[in-house]
Amino acid sequence: MRFDGTDSYVATDDLTMAVNAAVTLERPLLVKGEPGTGKTELARQVAQALDVPMIEWSIKSTTKAQQGLYEYDAVSRLRDSQLGDERVNDVSNYIRKGKLWQAFEADERVVLLIDEVDKADIEFPNDLLQELDRMEFHVYETGETIRARHRPIVIITSNNEKELPDAFLRRCFFHYIRFPEPETLRQIVEVHHPGIKQELLTTALTQFYEVRETPGLKKKPSTSEVLDWLKLLLAEDMDPADLQRDGASALPKLHGALLKNEQDVHLFERLAFMARRQGR
């Protein structure tokens, strides 16, 4: 099984190498990068390219590792026992399978996405070490051991909001998705907006990179945001001349697609004010 990218996902050589290395080593692939750089989409594209199903486990701040294995619904069992329901005689009726269990019992190899692992408690990654390493876990309520029929391709994403434990990192193959260079970003845009006029694209990307590189910016716009911005420019039928910023404002046209907080909007307003003062 080899990943070489897809028609709808531009994967750099180092990214495809990382995916294939993780598959060969049978290690989870830990992918970090700025939000919006395509980490989650990578898992979907790997599943599509390898023609295997994908199981997605989206992590929240309240998510516990045990939920990925299974949950025992003791409350429902107690209620049913009070009602005289015969289902209470079989504890397996109250076991809810988690995403890891679903991946382990699948009839074929699957891609298991553990999305935004850094959102959970710091102990979350450590609590999954043994299960991801041995590809098995024990169900105490029923006494059975669940083993993976086919070792899943595990892709774990992180936005780098908190440090992950060393023991967890040691078991992963790591890749950081760098923000794409202009030429790579052009290829990505062509996939999503085929046939876009090159003059408009050149002007827009030049302005986009100027925005990203502005000192003091709290949140740099991402790949997904520049794609949204270009979609709006095309919908409004703008040409390169329309993107020129006047002296009254340093904000790009339709800046709401790129700038996502008031501090960054105020930053560009201050830059325009300072430029006007210096021009007097």
Side-chain angles (χ1 to χ4, degrees):
M1 304 181 83
R2 182 173 180 81
F3 175 68
D4 293 307
T6 67
D7 293 339
S8 58
Y9 188 88
V10 177
T12 57
D13 291 341
D14 57 343
L15 178 56
T16 57
M17 187 180 299
V19 171
N20 293 315
V23 172
T24 301
L25 293 172
E26 296 187 332
R27 297 276 189 182
L29 173 62
L30 174 61
V31 185
K32 290 188 177 182
E34 295 179 28
T37 49
K39 301 184 297 297
T40 301
E41 186 62 24
L42 170 65
R44 300 189 180 107
Q45 296 298 325
V46 169
Q48 177 183 323
L50 302 182
D51 194 25
V52 298
M54 190 185 89
I55 295 175
E56 183 172 350
W57 186 15
S58 298
I59 307 303
K60 301 178 182 179
S61 59
T62 56
T63 303
K64 302 298 181 185
Q66 180 63 33
Q67 294 172 304
L69 308 179
Y70 69 93
E71 292 183 274
Y72 170 51
D73 191 354
V75 174
S76 292
R77 193 180 188 196
L78 175 60
R79 184 188 64 239
D80 288 347
S81 68
Q82 293 170 339
L83 297 173
D85 194 324
E86 292 185 0
R87 296 175 71 249
V88 299
N89 297 320
D90 186 356
V91 68
S92 64
N93 290 325
Y94 303 93
I95 300 292
R96 297 176 181 173
K97 299 177 182 180
K99 299 295 185 179
L100 265 72
W101 189 331
Q102 295 172 30
F104 285 5
E105 74 172 3
D107 292 330
E108 59 182 311
R109 197 174 197 182
V110 302
V111 170
L112 173 62
L113 169 63
I114 304 177
D115 201 22
E116 299 189 333
V117 68
D118 52 328
K119 279 188 175 180
D121 183 86
I122 189 62
E123 291 303 320
F124 178 89
N126 279 335
D127 291 342
L128 288 177
L129 286 180
Q130 181 171 312
E131 289 75 15
L132 291 177
D133 221 14
R134 298 183 181 180
M135 285 288 144
E136 65 177 40
F137 62 90
H138 187 70
V139 183
Y140 295 99
E141 289 77 6
T142 63
E144 61 183 324
T145 297
I146 306 300
R147 295 183 177 90
R149 296 180 184 175
H150 308 276
R151 192 179 190 97
I153 299 168
V154 182
I155 298 179
I156 304 171
T157 71
S158 169
N159 287 328
N160 230 5
E161 292 182 5
K162 62 168 70 83
E163 291 295 323
L164 299 174
D166 289 344
F168 179 77
L169 295 174
R170 183 172 63 81
R171 288 166 169 82
C172 298
F173 190 93
F174 172 76
H175 181 75
Y176 184 86
I177 297 183
R178 294 180 177 85
F179 193 81
E181 297 294 327
E183 188 54 41
T184 303
L185 188 53
R186 277 180 172 271
Q187 295 175 24
I188 294 172
V189 171
E190 285 287 355
V191 168
H192 292 269
H193 303 297
I196 187 172
K197 294 179 181 178
Q198 291 303 303
E199 188 178 354
L200 173 64
L201 180 57
T202 298
T203 303
L205 290 187
T206 299
Q207 194 169 117
F208 171 73
Y209 277 101
E210 288 175 354
V211 171
R212 266 189 63 87
E213 293 163 10
T214 300
L217 203 63
K218 183 177 180 180
K219 182 197 176 301
K220 294 182 178 182
S222 67
T223 308
S224 63
E225 287 159 342
V226 72
L227 292 174
D228 286 346
W229 185 50
L230 287 168
K231 183 177 181 179
L232 290 174
L233 297 182
L234 291 171
E236 295 294 328
D237 196 24
M238 290 191 176
D239 57 35
D242 295 324
L243 297 185
Q244 298 301 318
R245 290 177 280 187
D246 55 44
S249 174
L251 289 167
K253 296 292 191 298
L254 299 167
H255 64 269
L258 300 176
L259 305 176
K260 298 304 176 73
N261 59 70
E262 63 276 14
Q263 293 97 319
D264 289 341
V265 173
H266 292 160
L267 171 63
F268 279 87
E269 290 173 343
R270 289 196 302 272
L271 291 174
F273 175 73
M274 293 169 61
R276 289 197 302 272
R277 290 190 62 179
Q278 292 174 356
R280 289 176 181 174

